[in-house]
Amino acid sequence: MNALTLGPEGTYSHRATKAIADDIDFVESVTGIVEGVARGEYERGVVPIENSIEGSVTESLDALADRNVAVVREIVTPIQHALLAQTGEFEVVLSHPQALAQCREYLGREFPSARTEAVASTARGVERAREDDTVAAIGHPATAGDDLQVLASGIQDSTSNATRFVVLASETERSDAGGKTSVVVYPNTNYPGLLLEMLEPFAERDINLSRVESRPSGERLGDYVFHLDFAAGLYEERAQEAVDELRDIATNGWVRVLGSYDTEHVL
């Protein structure tokens, strides 16, 4: 099975993807991953969807709303950040924007004079640190290799830091089986009580909504697409009924069912 994820080698996305595939290629954008799966070029794609500290990955949400793919598995992995550099003297810290945000308190306390700079991935920051002794990187300690020192480990501001990844497949592989389901809803309308109407079908059937998030539709100001995760599989009649009610509410727009899936925890 071939898979596509965020690169280069050594990213947290790469670590998650190794749980499902050995043949792995890399790109530097989430949109590129979703497009690769949607076009049928790859059997699987793995994208980060949510971090326990920094919240949802908005590029992933937008890409899933714009393209027809299925979510077939969820992978949760703990995030173990380390500060990596050639020496203890450096001028700038590079990493993915979320990694920098997740270590904000540590960097401000221990290295207040160091600049921070966002790059496409944690692994890209590590590559730069290997090339330049004025650069430090934030990444998994296993990516230090022989060229970099682990100046400090466990530098994330929360010890419970974890990231959810979703495994994508062709829309033809969408399944009703699993303990969790994701849907995207574009009501294409706005009136008092709309959001309540969208939530009531789940509350009335005792279905727990584990995530509700809105993203701008791009159509006009104040117009939104809603991402819903709920703790039930579409094989359950109650889940199908709730989604059918969403379709009734979104008659001017659309409902995209990403699929039902199970969760795997990967260290």
Side-chain angles (χ1 to χ4, degrees):
M1 180 179 294
N2 62 343
L4 187 64
T5 196
L6 288 173
E9 289 188 28
T11 62
Y12 287 97
S13 294
H14 182 203
R15 297 176 68 84
T17 306
K18 288 193 289 186
I20 64 149
D22 296 319
D23 182 9
I24 302 171
D25 288 339
F26 303 98
V27 293
E28 293 200 2
S29 78
V30 167
T31 302
I33 297 167
V34 181
E35 287 179 344
V37 175
R39 291 194 299 260
E41 297 170 1
Y42 289 87
E43 296 171 272
R44 294 290 185 269
V46 176
V47 300
I49 200 76
E50 183 182 16
N51 176 262
S52 59
I53 297 176
E54 287 303 301
S56 295
V57 181
T58 55
E59 185 185 0
S60 297
L61 298 182
D62 294 343
L64 291 174
D66 290 341
R67 293 158 184 86
N68 289 316
V69 293
V71 174
V72 296
R73 190 186 306 186
E74 177 182 77
I75 296 174
V76 178
T77 182
I79 301 300
Q80 304 169 29
H81 287 317
L83 186 65
L84 313 173
Q86 294 184 36
T87 71
E89 302 294 327
F90 53 85
E91 299 173 2
V92 60
V93 181
L94 305 185
S95 198
H96 187 275
Q98 285 221 345
L100 292 172
Q102 291 159 19
C103 302
R104 186 182 295 115
E105 292 180 13
Y106 170 84
L107 293 175
R109 182 178 67 251
E110 300 294 334
F111 299 96
S113 61
R115 294 182 293 109
T116 58
E117 183 178 324
V119 291
S121 66
T122 55
R124 185 62 69 199
V126 172
E127 285 187 349
R128 290 277 300 278
R130 286 197 173 96
E131 299 165 356
D132 188 340
D133 63 6
T134 68
V135 171
I138 293 174
H140 194 279
T143 61
D146 298 327
D147 304 320
L148 298 175
Q149 300 180 46
V150 179
L151 301 180
S153 58
I155 66 171
Q156 61 274 7
D157 296 333
S158 172
T159 56
S160 61
N161 191 6
T163 294
R164 294 173 54 220
F165 297 85
V166 290
V167 180
L168 309 178
S170 165
E171 61 178 326
T172 60
E173 295 191 48
R174 186 176 296 118
S175 173
D176 290 349
K180 191 172 185 178
T181 300
S182 292
V183 299
V184 186
V185 184
Y186 177 49
N188 195 23
T189 187
N190 190 18
Y191 52 83
L194 171 61
L195 181 57
L196 178 61
E197 281 189 29
M198 293 171 55
L199 303 183
E200 281 181 334
F202 299 93
E204 291 169 353
R205 294 169 175 83
D206 197 30
I207 298 174
N208 182 38
L209 281 163
S210 56
R211 185 172 63 93
V212 180
E213 186 142 0
S214 61
R215 291 288 300 152
S217 68
E219 298 295 328
R220 55 190 175 271
L221 188 65
D223 192 48
Y224 296 97
V225 172
F226 295 90
H227 294 258
L228 309 179
D229 292 346
F230 57 87
L234 287 169
Y235 66 90
E236 299 181 56
E237 185 176 353
R238 60 175 184 155
Q240 287 284 0
E241 290 174 349
V243 172
D244 286 342
E245 284 201 34
L246 284 182
R247 292 191 174 99
D248 292 339
I249 295 168
T251 52
N252 295 326
W254 45 261
V255 175
R256 178 167 296 147
V257 177
L258 297 177
S260 298
Y261 49 88
D262 288 322
T263 300
E264 178 180 355
H265 292 265
V266 174
L267 297 179

